[in-house]
Amino acid sequence: MSGIIATPELLAYAQAAQTSNAWPFEEARKLIARLERKGGFEASGKKEVLFETGYGPSGLPHIGTFGEVARTSMVRRAFITLTEGKIPTRLIAFSDDMDGLRKVPTNVPNQALLATALNQPLTKVPDPFGTHESFGHHNNARLRAFLDAFGFDYEFRSATECYKRGDFDKTLLLMLERYDAIMAIMLPSLREERASTYSPFLPIHPKTGEVMQVPVEERNVAAGTIVWRDPQSGERFETPVTGGHAKLQWKPDWAMRWVALGIDYEMAGKDLIDSVKLSGEIARALDAEPPEGFNYELFLDENGQKISKSKGNGLTIDEWLTYASPESLALYMFQKPREAKKLYFDVIPRAVDEYLSFLDAFTRQDEKNRLGNPVWHIHAGMPPAPEKMSDGSSISFALLLNLVAVANAEDPAVLWGFLQRYAPGASPQAQPRLDKLVGYAIRYFRDFVKPKKQYRAPDEVEREALATLASRLEALPADASAEAVQEAVYDVARAVPRYQDLKAKGATPERPGVSNAWFGALYQVLLGEERGPRFGSFAAIYGLANTAALIRAALDGKLIADHEAFLAARGA
């Protein structure tokens, strides 16, 4: 998540990027086409290409905020690469902090305090946390700390500051002039009752400071003012639309921002498709071209329901980062952004191991394939070298989870003891990413894996095969390689008709292949799982004597009895 500049590493891929079909490059080409429609960058009159992401500070930054900034940064990085860094770019993280507080959030303290400030701009609402001058300032600070923690390169903009400083005045006056055209765009999208009182301008009450949702009775284009009436007192007011005395409804506000700031690219969720279209029509009514962008799909919970902050379903970013790295989360955001994806705890292990696999593959790929590798986009073209053990192998998250399980170890030092016996040169200092992975695995196993394990007893065929495997493992040298152990696992199964696979590649009647049913039995009986790591690697790290003892414990029924006792104690 590093900052984005035209580094030599990025520019080295400029030629290969021209034909890359990775989605960030496809999006970046839309921006290049946009400039070409204007005769090129120099003819466009722009000083830079502007990307924007939006944030509503009525709530804390969340996983969707991360996704939008991460994906936009990936497109920006692709654009820089395609244009060889010759066109300046900037990312604006915009906070709509002048919006009125419409309801009290349920996940903050001092809710009674907030209830006294309904309809006030968020930068005037008292901070329930007591750390900043307002609720808006508090959430803005959280947003900036959030983005800084991931190393995003951005420029923060506050709606309150922009309105009051006059950054939007020219465009606001144009909107007042084109008021009827904007109303003609907005009214068909509104219910009849809402349409009867709708105005794109929301005056700030000069006495109460509230953001007023009231109809506009008169417009004075020459003076740059609107006339409206307080619905409670009936008092009439004439308010300038400039200088922070009024703000806009959010769809007109979105369009105004695009025009005033000159935004070239902004993406949005699929649920905002209609809003993007309306805002785009308003931008055109102001003689401007709306930005490029695409609508990404929304995240779903484990039941396929849309994730909602108010419901609390799905994952928060803090929860993901408790169990996995930021890079694994960035990978999840990179993959198939136009497809709905479930976002809950079960997706984490796969995301972690996919990230490690992509990282491992990167060094073996040519330039074109590297550009399609997510780690290129996650790490600004400079992914770190994969961490290898002394034998050249890598340790997967799935393997660590199972090692935690069978070793019954929730102490990182114990796990490192197993790892160092397998690879004597390994250490938390030499493999810092693996050390973090160990911590993630312990936490994830404790909270999610162990309670869901389902051990089963072996049938007679399985009992005989497992007993044979235990004996074969005990007969191997204690320092046998993972490959040697894996071959022994295969050899045991080849002698069992149930597990023979004559259709496997290279299989012969004398040396049949081995079906997945054998490994399924190993995982179910020994690990309480449907799937697991490569068994040879697991046994080599856990230790052959320990693995043989695990098999005998399963044959004696001890694994099932121990797990039943754990579940009973947990439910007590």
Side-chain angles (χ1 to χ4, degrees):
M1 299 299 111
S2 60
I4 302 177
I5 57 174
T7 63
E9 289 80 6
L10 279 182
L11 299 185
Y13 292 91
Q15 184 173 354
Q18 304 302 319
T19 56
S20 174
N21 58 5
W23 70 263
F25 287 106
E26 292 178 346
E27 290 299 300
R29 289 190 195 99
K30 288 160 54 175
L31 272 171
I32 293 173
R34 175 189 181 90
L35 293 174
E36 290 174 348
R37 289 195 299 270
K38 299 177 181 180
F41 176 67
E42 293 183 2
S44 71
K46 294 181 65 67
K47 295 181 179 179
E48 58 199 347
V49 168
L50 288 177
F51 298 77
E52 182 182 53
T53 62
Y55 170 60
S58 58
L60 301 177
H62 54 86
I63 206 161
T65 310
F66 174 89
E68 189 164 312
V69 179
R71 287 166 170 164
T72 303
S73 297
M74 291 171 185
V75 177
R76 183 184 172 199
R77 187 175 297 120
F79 178 83
I80 291 172
T81 304
L82 283 169
T83 58
E84 300 181 27
K86 296 176 181 178
I87 299 177
T89 65
R90 190 154 46 99
L91 170 62
I92 294 174
F94 192 91
S95 172
D96 190 14
D97 57 16
M98 198 172 166
D99 197 21
L101 179 67
R102 303 303 175 195
K103 62 180 181 179
V104 177
T106 58
N107 61 343
V108 298
N110 298 317
Q111 294 188 21
L113 176 66
L114 292 182
T116 65
L118 289 176
N119 300 315
Q120 291 288 328
L122 290 165
T123 45
K124 294 295 184 182
V125 174
D127 180 14
F129 298 92
T131 59
H132 292 78
E133 63 182 276
S134 75
F135 189 36
H137 286 88
H138 176 274
N139 287 339
N140 285 343
R142 290 287 296 270
L143 171 69
R144 298 175 77 167
F146 176 86
L147 298 180
D148 291 344
F150 293 108
F152 286 118
D153 179 62
Y154 69 98
E155 178 183 311
F156 175 78
R157 291 284 186 95
S158 156
T160 300
E161 293 177 2
C162 288
Y163 269 102
K164 290 186 174 182
R165 194 168 51 221
D167 296 0
F168 298 153
D169 282 0
K170 180 180 177 181
T171 310
L172 290 167
L173 290 172
L174 179 60
M175 295 188 80
L176 184 62
E177 179 185 326
R178 308 277 174 89
Y179 185 94
D180 290 336
I182 294 170
M183 290 290 281
I185 294 168
M186 288 302 305
L187 291 180
S189 70
L190 304 172
R191 297 190 305 272
E192 183 177 352
E193 180 182 354
R194 176 83 168 118
S196 65
T197 61
Y198 181 83
S199 166
F201 288 97
L202 303 175
I204 308 300
H205 200 299
K207 294 183 178 179
T208 67
E210 293 183 5
V211 180
M212 302 300 294
Q213 297 207 45
V214 291
V216 169
E217 295 185 358
E218 297 177 25
R219 305 187 309 279
N220 188 333
V221 175
T225 61
I226 54 175
V227 176
W228 56 281
R229 191 178 301 272
D230 186 323
Q232 299 297 323
S233 67
E235 186 176 0
R236 290 176 89 244
F237 296 94
E238 184 170 4
T239 299
V241 299
T242 54
H245 297 289
K247 75 173 300 291
L248 293 167
Q249 299 272 11
W250 79 272
K251 292 170 189 173
D253 184 90
W254 205 5
M256 179 276 297
R257 208 160 70 221
W258 290 343
V259 176
L261 299 177
I263 301 301
D264 295 290
Y265 189 89
E266 182 165 5
M267 59 178 65
K270 185 179 179 181
D271 56 336
L272 297 180
I273 287 177
D274 291 339
S275 300
V276 170
K277 290 179 180 177
L278 287 171
S279 296
E281 289 179 32
I282 294 172
R284 293 185 184 93
L286 302 176
D287 303 325
E289 183 181 4
E292 302 299 322
F294 77 92
N295 296 101
Y296 51 83
E297 260 290 1
L298 305 178
F299 292 116
L300 309 174
D301 67 12
E302 59 185 317
N303 299 314
Q305 300 297 311
K306 175 184 170 183
I307 284 178
S308 165
K309 286 187 291 183
S310 60
K311 290 182 181 177
N313 57 338
L315 275 175
T316 68
I317 195 160
D318 288 338
E319 287 170 334
W320 185 293
L321 297 181
T322 298
Y323 305 107
S325 66
E327 291 80 12
S328 65
L329 178 57
L331 169 66
Y332 200 70
M333 297 299 171
F334 175 88
Q335 293 175 312
K336 301 178 180 178
R338 291 184 177 90
E339 294 184 13
K341 292 188 290 187
K342 292 184 177 181
L343 184 62
Y344 58 102
F345 293 103
D346 286 4
V347 307
I348 290 178
R350 181 176 178 181
V352 173
D353 279 341
E354 285 183 341
Y355 168 75
L356 294 174
S357 295
F358 283 124
L359 193 63
D360 185 62
F362 187 82
T363 56
R364 302 190 300 273
Q365 293 175 317
D366 59 22
E367 285 188 346
K368 181 178 180 181
N369 286 308
R370 284 183 174 185
L371 292 177
N373 188 325
V375 300
W376 188 93
H377 301 270
I378 292 169
H379 293 287
M382 296 179 287
E387 291 182 348
K388 298 286 188 178
M389 307 302 274
S390 56
D391 66 348
S393 65
S394 300
I395 304 299
S396 71
F397 194 55
L399 190 151
L400 284 175
L401 286 174
N402 284 294
L403 189 59
V404 174
V406 298
N408 197 25
E410 296 187 20
D411 180 350
V414 174
L415 282 187
W416 270 107
F418 286 108
L419 294 172
Q420 288 167 334
R421 183 174 58 193
Y422 170 69
S427 71
Q429 294 73 34
Q431 282 93 8
R433 290 201 303 277
L434 178 57
D435 190 43
K436 289 183 178 179
L437 202 63
V438 165
Y440 292 138
I442 289 172
R443 290 190 290 273
Y444 191 89
F445 173 79
R446 179 190 62 216
D447 293 344
F448 299 107
V449 177
K450 191 173 183 179
K452 293 182 179 179
K453 281 185 172 289
Q454 294 182 338
Y455 293 91
R456 69 170 177 83
D459 62 25
E460 288 307 310
V461 172
E462 292 166 338
R463 290 185 68 85
E464 185 175 349
L466 285 166
T468 301
L469 178 59
S471 298
R472 289 291 299 273
L473 294 177
E474 289 170 333
L476 288 172
D479 60 351
S481 68
E483 289 300 325
V485 177
Q486 188 76 4
E487 193 57 34
V489 175
Y490 277 120
D491 285 343
V492 169
R494 287 190 178 100
V496 182
R498 176 189 290 184
Y499 302 127
Q500 293 173 352
D501 182 4
L502 295 175
K503 295 181 180 180
K505 184 178 179 180
T508 65
E510 295 74 26
R511 186 177 173 79
V514 176
S515 74
N516 288 332
W518 168 231
F519 295 99
L522 291 176
Y523 300 142
Q524 292 162 13
V525 173
L526 303 181
L527 304 177
E529 301 282 344
E530 291 298 319
R531 291 174 294 275
R534 192 167 188 269
F535 199 82
S537 299
F538 165 76
I541 293 175
Y542 185 48
L544 302 188
N546 288 335
T547 305
L550 177 69
I551 294 172
R552 300 195 191 284
L555 296 176
D556 292 341
K558 189 174 185 302
L559 299 185
I560 293 176
D562 287 350
H563 190 61
E564 288 175 348
F566 161 74
L567 293 177
R570 187 170 180 265

